[in-house]
Amino acid sequence: MKANVEFLLFILLIAVFSAAVILAFVLFAFNGENKTLPKSELTIGGKVLSIEVARSAIEKTQGLSGRDSLRSDGMLFIFDKEGNHGFWMKDMKFPIDIVWINNGKVVGFSENAMPEPDKQVWALKIYYPSDVADSVLEVNAGFVAANKIRVEDEV
């Protein structure tokens, strides 16, 4: 009987330790305010942008969530393969334009995507491209109109 109690305490200790390690990893990985993403340049509509690049699943999931503003001209999300990659405004604090890109050309965009702070995750609007995309550029709202970005523009 004593051995059973000791074994259960041992299992409980391992479970608590594992949960603490997982929680620490999640808090570190999803802390977007302190995360530094690789920087690059991108040209779209004849305008050169200084951008952050999100490649990993964690970086793409975090995106601009929780930030008060862009830290550069935009954030580029790069996917391993083309698809109908949907984007939401989870924990966003400012409106953005979303530009879908495939093979170096604009294939669509959603302008003035607004934060939805009062909605639950399952109720958030999801923005989808009109065609498959292999990357997505998020920029401040109004960028697409101000720079006359059009489908088929080179990126």
Side-chain angles (χ1 to χ4, degrees):
M1 178 105 165
K2 184 178 177 182
N4 286 343
V5 171
E6 288 176 353
F7 179 73
L8 288 175
L9 286 174
F10 176 73
I11 295 298
L12 180 63
L13 180 65
I14 289 176
V16 168
F17 177 75
S18 297
V21 168
I22 291 169
L23 179 62
F25 172 76
V26 168
L27 290 174
F28 173 76
F30 284 100
N31 185 353
E33 285 301 315
N34 296 323
K35 182 92 174 162
T36 302
L37 295 176
K39 306 279 192 280
S40 189
E41 286 188 348
L42 176 142
T43 302
I44 181 170
K47 184 173 175 91
V48 178
L49 304 179
S50 172
I51 59 165
E52 294 179 86
V53 180
R55 289 182 186 270
S56 75
I58 290 174
E59 292 168 349
K60 289 184 274 193
T61 300
Q62 177 64 34
L64 296 171
S65 296
R67 293 187 183 187
D68 292 324
S69 64
L70 280 166
R71 294 188 194 134
S72 58
D73 295 325
M75 182 177 285
L76 182 68
F77 299 77
I78 299 175
F79 295 92
D80 294 332
K81 59 184 179 178
E82 61 186 30
N84 290 322
H85 305 289
F87 277 66
W88 60 5
M89 298 293 287
K90 183 180 177 305
D91 297 328
M92 288 291 294
K93 297 181 180 182
F94 56 96
I96 59 172
D97 288 349
I98 304 169
V99 181
W100 281 276
I101 302 162
N102 197 44
N103 293 320
K105 291 192 182 228
V106 173
V107 294
F109 42 82
S110 293
E111 296 179 79
N112 298 308
M114 299 300 291
E116 300 177 294
D118 299 328
K119 289 193 177 179
Q120 298 295 328
V121 171
W122 58 85
L124 292 171
K125 179 176 181 175
I126 300 176
Y127 297 87
Y128 289 99
S130 56
D131 200 354
V132 294
D134 58 19
S135 56
V136 177
L137 177 66
E138 292 183 342
V139 290
N140 281 317
F143 176 87
V144 168
N147 292 281
K148 297 178 176 70
I149 304 301
R150 301 285 177 248
V151 171
E152 293 295 317
D153 280 356
E154 289 192 25
V155 181

